[in-house]
Amino acid sequence: MTMKDVFVLAAQFGKAGSGKDGVVGYHQPFSSMPHNLLFSLSTRDGLRPYDFRTGKVTMDTRSWREIVETVAALYKNGTFTMQNVAGDTVDGEVWYGPEDVNEADLFKKGKSAMTIGGYNAMQGMPFELGMVTPPVSSAGNRSEDMGVYTYMAIPSGAEHGDTAWEMIRFMLGDYVAKVRSGLQEESELPTRKSYMQCDRNPLLPKLYEILPGLGQSYSLEGYDPKFTTLFSELEDREIAAAVKGERSVDGVIAAIQKEGQALMDAAKPKK
């Protein structure tokens, strides 16, 4: 499924009356505000709301209009809920404690029908659940929810390069794959496919068929880093207005395009 397919499926729970019990169709902890969901739908197909290379906001397109319309409609029908867990700000950084994490995880509390989590992250849930492979891009079998997170490398000219290579060979070998199958690490899958011989989860072979997404570069190119936060706040405000019926989708697009461009102009590198 694509991310759009996931959202369409999640909407079925609302139509079935789950909202009466306070259950939303889909929820992602700390990622349930409008700008998060706009990003989830757009990034998988290479869409970007702005381009630091050109200094232009690029929201005024048919593709973005469809995404904004979809997200606003799914908030309205109860598929999504806007949850903004504040956390504690210390020295300019936001920290989330155990209580914040628990508050944010609606799925674990039985208040969300669907979510996306790391491999083995759903162990020990207080209810029966089912799992499928993560969303892929509309162009093929790549997923933004799959990635390579741990690297091992040998510096050029290393004094003990041969020994280091033997260590890497061991760490990526069948023995360690077998050991790791019993550790049930939350998110990382071993490089070796022989891991599938140790972990009998029927979903695992299909996970190895999916390739990691081709991540996009979002280098600020010298722009004021506050721009991205201000732009996200703009998206949140405008989508919230649309959900309340105070803005049309066209009005949201126009406002984000105009005000977003003003924010970007103000954040441009000073010459």
Side-chain angles (χ1 to χ4, degrees), residues 14-61:
K15 293 178 181 178
S18 66
K20 298 176 183 177
D21 301 319
V23 178
V24 297
Y26 172 88
H27 186 81
Q28 202 68 22
F30 304 107
S31 298
S32 65
M33 295 302 287
H35 75 272
N36 301 125
L37 296 166
L38 290 176
F39 181 82
S40 290
L41 276 173
S42 63
T43 187
R44 287 168 167 79
D45 290 321
L47 286 177
R48 299 170 65 171
Y50 42 74
D51 190 332
F52 289 117
R53 296 168 298 179
T54 63
K56 300 295 183 183
V57 173
T58 54
M59 289 286 288
D60 192 7
T61 65

Side-chain angles (χ1 to χ4, degrees), residues 91-110:
D91 296 329
E93 294 187 11
V94 180
W95 296 82
Y96 298 101
E99 292 183 0
D100 299 320
V101 173
N102 182 61
E103 179 187 351
D105 198 344
L106 297 188
F107 183 80
K108 187 174 183 179
K109 295 162 69 175

Side-chain angles (χ1 to χ4, degrees), residues 209-232:
E209 294 175 5
I210 298 174
L211 298 174
L214 297 174
Q216 300 180 57
S217 174
Y218 287 90
S219 172
L220 291 174
E221 301 289 351
Y223 280 75
D224 187 334
K226 293 179 181 178
F227 164 74
T228 54
T229 299
L230 294 174
F231 194 90
S232 294

Side-chain angles (χ1 to χ4, degrees), residues 1-11 41 114 136:
M1 295 189 294
T2 64
M3 197 66 198
K4 188 173 183 180
D5 293 330
V6 171
F7 289 169
V8 169
L9 179 59
L41 276 173
M114 299 173 65
V136 296

